[in-house]
Amino acid sequence: MISESVSTTMRITLLLLICSLTIVNVDAFDFMRMGHYLGYVGCYVDKSQRLLARFAGEGNMSLGKCRHLCRGYRYLGLQYGKQCLCGNYLNHRAYPQSSELQCNMVCTSEPHRMCGGPWRNSIYRV
């Protein structure tokens, strides 16, 4: 019974050590993006002449579904919680990056993920 207790304590200690080493090695900017796919680029302004030219779909949207719809493109944009757009170029001058606070609408199929906002794209690498 004592050896079982020591074994459990050792496992917990090892787990805490691994967690603390992982947290120490996390970049502060990456930490702020938790919940985003690793290919997340940022929140960008959009206009009636779109940043990403191809409108791929609207409705019950998720990152996975939009990635599927944008196969063959370099970038995808999630906008207004339910729209998916695709393109190969980001024109930073005409469509500047905006505050993450402006990409504040949750995806219709992924309530833990932000899917842009009104005229704001959450841009990801496909």
Side-chain angles (χ1 to χ4, degrees), residues 5-101:
S5 165
V6 170
S7 176
T8 301
T9 303
M10 288 176 63
R11 276 188 258 152
I12 291 171
T13 304
L14 182 59
L15 181 62
L16 289 172
L17 178 65
I18 291 169
C19 289
S20 64
L21 289 174
T22 303
I23 290 171
V24 168
N25 289 323
V26 171
D27 184 354
F29 190 66
D30 289 338
F31 185 73
M32 290 180 355
R33 290 185 173 176
M34 286 176 66
H36 285 296
Y37 170 73
L38 290 178
Y40 183 68
V41 177
C43 182
Y44 285 80
V45 171
D46 204 5
K47 302 174 186 173
S48 58
Q49 289 191 331
R50 300 290 191 168
L51 166 62
L52 301 174
R54 179 173 175 252
F55 185 81
E58 182 172 11
N60 202 13
M61 194 55 62
S62 67
L63 175 59
K65 181 177 180 179
C66 190
R67 289 185 79 209
H68 179 75
L69 294 169
C70 291
R71 288 183 319 253
Y73 289 90
R74 290 183 67 193
Y75 300 101
L76 68 85
L78 294 163
Q79 187 174 126
Y80 205 61
K82 60 183 181 178
Q83 298 174 346
C84 174
L85 300 106
C86 315
N88 288 317
Y89 305 100
L90 296 179
N91 183 343
H92 297 286
R93 288 184 185 194
Y95 302 90
Q97 190 166 1
S98 64
S99 165
E100 291 297 321
L101 298 174

